[in-house]
Structure formats: structure tokens, C-alpha cells
Amino acid sequence: MSDILHAITSRRATKHFDPSYRIEDITLMSILDAARHAPTAFNIQHCRFLVVQDREQRRRIRAAAWDQPQVEDCAALIVMCADIKAWEKDPARYWKDAPAPVRDGYVKMIHSYYDGREQVQHDEGVRSCGLAAYAIMMAAAAHGLHTCPMDGFDFDEVGRLINLPGDHEIVMFVALGREASSPSPRGGFLPLDAVVHRESFS
Ligand SMILES: Cc1cc2nc3c(=O)[nH]c(=O)nc-3n(C[C@H](O)[C@H](O)[C@H](O)COP(=O)(O)O)c2cc1C
């Protein structure tokens, strides 16, 4: 338990990655395998992990990301993409291991909940990717690696560069690798009593 709390409270957004570090594919896949266990509404699993390691592709993406060096210096850039229409793509597959009546019940609920509700479809995909992004950060920490969550980039341009399908949306990047230097001091946190409210906002 204390390991988990330590991973949460010691995590930092890495601004300087060691460009010479190469991640083994087995490590990368272990991290993404952990991330696909992140929770999703109705178990819809909207998140698609677009892994970018090619040097040229990263150079192009960096140019669309305010020239931020993390994009090129990390060992793998994960573009977190939400399949916004995952809810209607054979939803029975999200419950394939459940008994048939349970599976059928979920398929019905998924349709009645999302059909015609574009905003909810979108928000659900973003929620799923946000949780999966954080799972990547924690799984990376378990491997002694570091991450930087990022949204400082031109979403349309990156979408073009990665051939984003029309019914998918980019949610954010997670740059993954080994830090090259210790992070600068934290910006600071709001006090607990400024962020915790009980029962209702007064
Ligand atoms: C959604 C999101 C987008 C971010 N985008 C960037 C980014 O584009 N570039 C960057 O260097 N850091 C980015 N960050 C990292 C934040 O600057 C960092 O998390 C924040 O300053 C707190 O620092 P810490 O994570 O080290 O505690 C982003 C973080 C989040 C959650």
C-alpha cells in the first residue's frame, strides 16, 4: 500500500528525458497492458494507445507541439486516442466473458444510454483516456520509469500526422522514458481544506 501512495505522491511531470534510453518492447507492453485495465463506463474500453517511436514521426509531432523536446527525447510517445463510437461497435465484445443474460442486459443499456447523446459519448471517451493515462504513469513508475502528460500541441495537426480515424479523438499525450535530470521544485498544492468539501458546496 505504501508503495502505491509513494508512487502517487512522488510522481512528477518529466520535462527532460534521457534521449539515449531505449525502452524494451516487453516493458512498454507491460505498461500498456496494465493501462488497459483502467476502468471505463460499461466496460466500453474507449482508449486506443498510439505508440510513436519513429524518429521522423516524432520530429513532425514535435513541430506541432510547440517544439517541446519531451516528444522527441522520451523513449515512447503515447498518443491517447478515444474511440468515441466504441459504444456502438459490437458492444457485446465488452462483456464476452459474462453470462449471456448479463451480456445482453449490458448491450441494451449501452444503446439506450448513449444513442443520440453526442456530448456524453465524447465525455465518456475523454474520461476513459484520462484514467488510462494515469494508469500509464503509475505502471511506468512501477518499472522505475518517468512520464509527462501533455496537451500542448495542435490537436488537428497531430490528428493528420497519425491518420486519426474520423470517429476517434486525441485526448492527450503521455511521454514515457527515463528522466535525464531531477525535476525542478513543485509549483505547490492548494491546501486540503480548499479542495475537499463535504456533503455539498456551501
Ligand atoms: C492535461 C495535462 C497537460 C499537460 N501538458 C503539458 C505540456 O504540454 N507540456 C509540459 O511540459 N507539461 C505538461 N503537463 C504537465 C504539467 O505541467 C504538470 O503536471 C504540472 O505542472 C504539475 O507538475 P507535476 O506533475 O510535476 O506535479 C500537463 C499536465 C496535464 C495533466
Side-chain angles (χ1 to χ4, degrees):
M1 177 61 86
S2 64
D3 284 353
I4 296 172
L5 289 177
H6 178 73
I8 292 170
T9 54
S10 64
R11 182 214 52 80
R12 298 298 313 277
T14 297
K15 308 286 172 165
H16 302 112
F17 286 97
D18 173 358
S20 69
Y21 172 70
R22 301 276 175 272
I23 192 168
E24 288 198 30
D25 210 51
I26 194 167
T27 307
L28 176 60
M29 287 306 130
S30 158
I31 291 168
L32 297 181
D33 184 45
R36 81 188 162 92
H37 289 76
T40 59
F42 295 107
N43 200 35
I44 289 174
Q45 303 163 62
H46 311 78
C47 199
R48 305 292 175 260
F49 307 96
L50 193 275
V51 179
V52 186
Q53 292 183 288
D54 177 73
R55 184 64 50 198
E56 281 308 309
Q57 179 72 323
R58 286 208 273 166
R59 214 163 274 162
R60 287 188 286 266
I61 293 176
R62 176 175 175 170
W66 305 339
D67 198 32
Q68 296 193 76
Q70 299 97 307
V71 170
E72 233 183 310
D73 293 344
C74 66
L77 181 73
I78 318 297
V79 184
M80 308 292 294
C81 303
D83 181 352
I84 301 297
K85 295 295 177 188
W87 67 274
E88 63 180 358
K89 295 176 182 168
D90 184 17
R93 67 193 162 127
Y94 310 131
W95 291 93
K96 67 180 175 53
D97 298 336
V102 174
R103 182 167 58 244
D104 296 347
Y106 270 106
V107 169
K108 265 198 197 122
M109 278 192 284
I110 287 171
H111 269 284
S112 63
Y113 188 71
Y114 292 103
D115 204 5
R117 302 179 73 201
E118 307 287 325
Q119 181 76 50
V120 179
Q121 295 168 23
H122 165 272
D123 293 352
E124 214 76 280
V126 174
R127 275 188 277 272
S128 293
C129 283
L131 287 162
Y134 194 63
I136 290 178
M137 294 176 219
M138 293 296 102
H143 284 276
L145 295 175
H146 307 96
T147 52
C148 187
M150 300 178 73
D151 67 4
F153 56 88
D154 180 331
F155 281 64
D156 292 337
E157 178 59 15
V158 173
R160 275 189 288 278
L161 289 170
I162 64 169
N163 290 325
L164 187 74
D167 58 2
H168 286 40
E169 275 187 37
I170 298 174
V171 173
M172 61 193 292
F173 295 165
V174 180
L176 166 66
R178 182 157 283 163
E179 69 182 7
S181 58
S182 301
S184 44
R186 285 185 185 277
F189 290 102
L190 295 172
L192 195 58
D193 65 6
V195 296
V196 177
H197 302 267
R198 293 181 190 267
E199 319 317 340
S200 70
F201 286 93
S202 55

